């Protein structure tokens, strides 16, 4: 009996395993060419694999390792990566969007390494499986690069105060969770593999207050840490927080209403600006002349000092134009209260922006700090004056776009001078007329500044944009800031960085000079593989940001990312991060459009899709069926690229003002990944049918989680209400036949006809539907650092044009629909 029972159990086990293998062989895209035939055949004899089994069973003893190899050599439990390789026929499968916004793919690492790894919100790679060689990367036809958000606001940040900051003696890598301890006295660098000694001080763990466990120190337990730096990391004593405001006060500026909003907002937030008792502020105003303001504490009123010789700018006095905020707060308040009225009757129409910036540079050179420039028109006088280069008749051209680069190198040269003196310049452009942003933006690009643009701001005609300016300014004035910063990115031996994207000055091959750093700035880098990584199973990347805090402390924020190294092409595709790839390609396309042409940049984006899908089809999928096949990891790639091609930065054939196009380009080059992706492919939700199913319960609030919808008019109905999240703006589209109860409970209006033409906020009504919608908007807003405005769009409103232009899957006069784009890709692949 036992003999028969054991035979039965043995047979059942083999039957189960054989059925499992048979399922995989029939349902997954396995390279049968990579599986030795003698591990798939029926074992009727002991040859050739040596297992004498009944004819009815597969030889499974050695099949499973080869099955893993056929799936790309994936180790552990690779269900997610197997799913990432699932072939998707894009022409047949139309509903590809996940129900929730796409998360970053998880690297195929052990549980301990995953837990220790850097957050993808901070540090993200286009490929979560790093190819072993450049040749393997070339075969995949995918870009290798990093996207960083190094100074983002963090809820928890381990801050380490230690006399000794432990670093590799060879490559200067900061000790991190991915180093290996050979014993208690030695550790091996995870980037260059140098063996280093463990300092005596590092043997003590300040968290557990124990001795002899260096591997439990916080800097070895956390991939993101911040060190309090010693004097070794200072070239001079840490500078104070210094803020200089340079304000356009021409007629155009005063008539638009920005100056009044600026003064009120700064007054309300004067005490919230980052700094300490050493914080200094100053003001310069300009039109055809330059005006300085003496704010010395001994004065009873601010004193205006006018310099009319804009061809030879000088500083009228050096000791009272940048004043201690604590000591001169009363005078600063008096100035801000009276500034708008001082210029309310001005008829000056000229703008001496260049000379005003020269004055700011001279005033700030001794300290460094932040210059905030507010400009409302084309610079017309003095150094850096510009002529209009835009031809309105060419805004819809399909042949090409001219003047995407600067007309003069004045602003770039001045920016580099500022960067050398640790001065960052932020630009607020508030103009409805052409102002040559391509030229004046260089002031911020090369000094690590930020660029803001409000193309139709007016206190009467466009109060919504004035409201957005006020919210952005409040965030800008109060957000965290770092001064006199540098950032270096290191990577595993064999990898190299060759191109940086963002606002900075490149001081050396891997060192970025950042006069200022803020929590809303993102960076991207392109990488290549110079030497084979065959001798390692992990690749690591580390960014180190050295900066001076607004409190005058020198700090180093370190992020470390660890990813597996793979030798199979299928693994490379399985680890593709489609959003990171899209953002890196967007940065590359912007550079290409400026250095070459917009049409070249657009062609390069299309070719990126064609090349990657062709490489997958020819080397990995091995599927003979017709159609357009993509691995599941890249199934959204064509959609994202089509959306990119329809963005203001890169579109053709649609009327686009030159300054608006240039600003969109600037955003792509300086925003973090999450913001870029919302710009490229907004999130669309239906609201009138949302339920509490899957809702989040946060702080006694119910936050609904409606499903994502494809960006096509097919998903809209006149009976519905839809929310579109574009990152910096929410659109609430109300269909003409939307239920009156929804309109009443959410907007407080009795019916659709009574909705006002301009509505920019949801009233706080005490209805369950209103509370849920406001909770959803607040939850979406909390996931970003900048303010988002809301536009309620009626089905019959002219404003719906702005809403419908984001429906990227639909055909327009000058661009493919999504299905037409897929057919175009298929046609290009067959050439």
């Amino acid at each position: 009996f036992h003999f028969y029972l054991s035979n039965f159990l043995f047979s059942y086990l083999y039957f189960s395993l054989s059925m499992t293998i048979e399922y995989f062989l029939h349902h997954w895209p396995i390279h049968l060419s990579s599986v030795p035939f003698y591990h798939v055949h029926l074992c009727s004899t002991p040859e050739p694999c040596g297992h004498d089994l009944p004819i009815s069973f597969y030889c499974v003893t050695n099949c499973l390792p080869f099955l893993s190899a056929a799936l790309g050599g994936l180790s552990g439990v690779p269900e997610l990566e197997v799913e990432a390789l699932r072939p998707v026929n894009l022409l047949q499968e139309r509903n590809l969007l996940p129900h929730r916004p796409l998360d970053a793919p998880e690297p195929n690492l052990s549980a301990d390494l995953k837990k220790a790894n850097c957050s993808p919100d901070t540090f993200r790679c286009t490929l979560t499986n790093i190819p072993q060689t450049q040749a393997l990367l070339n075969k995949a036809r995918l870009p290798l690069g990093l996207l960083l958000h190094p100074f983002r606001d963090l809820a928890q940040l381990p801050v380490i105060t230690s006399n000794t900051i432990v670093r590799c003696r060879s490559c200067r890598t900061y000790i991190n969770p991915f180093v290996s301890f050979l014993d208690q006295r030695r550790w091996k660098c995870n980037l260059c593999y140098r063996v280093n000694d463990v300092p005596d001080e590092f043997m003590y763990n300040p968290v557990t207050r124990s001795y002899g466990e260096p591997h439990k120190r916080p800097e070895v337990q956390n991939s993101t840490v911040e060190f309090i730096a010693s004097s070794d990391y200072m070239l001079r004593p840490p500078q104070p927080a210094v803020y200089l405001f340079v304000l356009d006060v021409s007629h155009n500026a005063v008539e638009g209403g920005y100056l009044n909003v600026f003064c009120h907002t700064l007054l309300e937030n004067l005490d919230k600006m980052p700094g300490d008792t050493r914080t200094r502020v100053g003001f310069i105003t300009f039109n055809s002349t330059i005006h300085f303001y003496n704010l010395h504490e001994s004065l009873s009123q601010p004193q205006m000092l006018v310099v009319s010789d804009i061809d030879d700018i000088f500083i009228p006095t050096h000791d009272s134009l940048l004043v201690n905020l604590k000591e001169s707060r009363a005078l600063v308040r008096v100035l801000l209260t009276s500034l708008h009225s001082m210029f309310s009757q001005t008829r000056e129409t000229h703008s001496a922006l260049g000379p005003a910036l020269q004055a700011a540079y001279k005033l700030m050179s001794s300290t460094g700090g932040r210059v905030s420039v507010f400009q409302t028109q084309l610079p017309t006088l003095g150094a850096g004056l510009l002529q209009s280069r835009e031809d309105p008749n060419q805004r819809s051209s399909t042949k090409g776009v001219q003047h995407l680069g600067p007309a003069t190198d004045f602003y770039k040269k001045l920016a580099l001078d500022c960067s050398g003196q640790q001065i960052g310049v932020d630009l607020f452009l508030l103009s409805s007329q052409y102002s040559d942003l391509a030229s004046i933006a260089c002031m911020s690009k090369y000094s690590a500044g930020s660029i803001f643009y409000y193309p139709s701001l007016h206190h009467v005609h466009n109060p919504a944009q004035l409201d957005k300016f006020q919210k952005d300014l409040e965030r800008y004035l109060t957000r965290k800031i770092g001064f006199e910063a540098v950032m270096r990115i290191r990577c595993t031996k064999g990898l190299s960085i060759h191109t940086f994207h963002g606002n900075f000055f490149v001081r050396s091959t891997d060192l970025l000079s950042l006069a200022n750093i803020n929590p809303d700035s993102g960076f991207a880098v392109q990488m290549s593989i110079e030497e084979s990584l065959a001798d390692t199973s992990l690749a690591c990347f580390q960014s180190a940001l050295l900066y001076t805090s607004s409190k005058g402390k020198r700090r180093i924020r370190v992020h470390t990312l660890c990813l597996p190294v793979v030798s199979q092409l299928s693994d490379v595709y399985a680890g593709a991060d489609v959003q990171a790839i899209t953002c890196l390609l967007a940065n590359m396309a912007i550079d290409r459009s400026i250095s070459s042409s917009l049409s070249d940049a657009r062609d390069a984006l299309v070719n990126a899709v064609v090349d990657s899908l062709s490489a997958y089809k020819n080397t990995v999928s091995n599927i003979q069926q017709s159609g357009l096949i993509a691995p599941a990891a890249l199934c959204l790639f064509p959609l994202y690229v089509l959306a990119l091609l329809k963005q203001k930065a890169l579109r053709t054939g649609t009327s686009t003002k030159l300054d608006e196009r240039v600003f969109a380009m600037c955003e792509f080059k300086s925003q973090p990944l999450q913001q870029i992706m919302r710009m490229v492919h907004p999130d669309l939700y239906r609201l009138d049918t949302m339920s509490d199913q899957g809702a989040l319960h946060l702080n006694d609030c119910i936050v609904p989680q409606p499903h994502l919808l494809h960006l096509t008019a097919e998903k809209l109905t006149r009976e519905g209400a839809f929310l579109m999240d574009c990152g910096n703006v929410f659109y609430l589209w109300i269909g003409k036949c939307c239920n009156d109860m929804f309109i009443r409970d959410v907007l407080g209006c009795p019916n659709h006809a009574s909705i006002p033409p301009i509505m920019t906020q949801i009233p706080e009504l005490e209805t369950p539907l209103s509370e849920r919608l406001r909770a959803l908007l607040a939850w979406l807003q909390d996931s970003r650092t900048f303010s988002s405005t809301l536009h309620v769009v009626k089905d019959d409103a002219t404003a719906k044009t702005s809403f419908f232009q984001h429906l990227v899957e639909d055909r327009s006069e000058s661009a493919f629909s999504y299905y037409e784009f897929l057919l175009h890709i298929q046609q290009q692949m067959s050439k």
Side-chain angles (χ1 to χ4, degrees), residues 245 247 249 283-287 289-291 293 304 339 343:
F245 298 95
L247 307 166
V249 291
F283 298 87
I284 293 175
T285 57
F286 66 96
N287 37 48
T289 57
I290 312 300
H291 324 121
Y293 296 87
M304 178 193 285
L339 197 57
F343 296 97

Side-chain angles (χ1 to χ4, degrees), residues 709-730:
L709 301 177
H710 280 266
L711 294 173
T712 170
E714 292 178 6
K715 299 296 182 181
L716 304 179
T717 70
R718 290 195 170 187
E719 294 76 29
F722 299 84
L723 179 70
M724 183 183 287
D725 179 4
C726 301
N728 58 0
V729 60
F730 292 110

Side-chain angles (χ1 to χ4, degrees), residues 441-616:
C442 292
M443 200 65 226
S444 298
K445 285 182 182 180
Y446 296 100
S447 67
S450 301
I451 301 167
F452 302 84
Y453 180 45
Y454 308 89
S456 54
L457 183 144
H458 195 278
H459 67 103
V460 175
H461 305 308
N462 197 338
Q465 194 149 103
L466 198 72
D467 182 58
K468 175 170 172 52
F469 168 64
Q470 187 270 327
K471 289 179 179 177
D472 287 349
L473 183 60
E474 184 174 354
R475 160 71 182 172
Y476 171 80
L477 293 171
T478 58
R479 71 186 180 184
K480 187 174 180 178
I481 186 172
F483 299 99
E484 48 188 353
V486 291
M487 183 169 70
R488 177 169 266 126
I489 302 172
R490 297 178 174 88
C491 47
T492 291
K493 183 181 179 182
L495 295 169
S496 68
I497 298 167
H498 60 79
T499 307
F500 293 93
H501 300 278
N503 291 352
F504 49 74
F505 170 62
V506 182
R507 190 178 294 180
S508 65
T509 54
D510 64 345
L511 186 68
L512 304 183
S513 176
L514 306 166
N516 294 169
I517 182 70
N518 71 76
D520 302 335
S521 291
F523 303 87
V525 297
Q526 292 170 242
M527 307 191 70
S528 59
I529 305 169
E530 292 191 341
E531 300 175 20
S532 172
L533 303 175
D535 293 336
T536 182
S537 60
L538 299 173
C540 292
F541 311 88
Q542 186 178 85
S543 72
L545 176 69
L546 172 64
Y547 71 98
T548 299
S549 75
S550 57
K551 305 291 187 184
K553 302 292 184 182
R554 204 72 172 136
R555 294 184 168 221
I556 311 163
R557 187 172 295 191
V558 178
H559 307 287
T560 311
L561 175 68
C562 178
L563 297 172
V565 174
V566 297
S567 59
Q568 300 288 334
L569 187 58
S570 49
D571 280 5
V572 178
Y573 285 111
D577 184 337
V578 67
Q579 291 191 334
I581 290 170
T582 302
C583 290
L584 183 63
L585 286 175
N587 276 278
M588 295 163 65
I590 299 306
D591 282 357
R592 185 78 167 267
S593 63
I594 296 173
S595 62
S596 180
S597 69
L598 189 61
S599 59
D600 278 358
R602 290 171 57 85
D603 289 344
L605 286 172
V606 175
N607 290 338
V609 178
V610 172
D611 291 346
S612 59
L613 296 191
S614 296
Y616 170 76

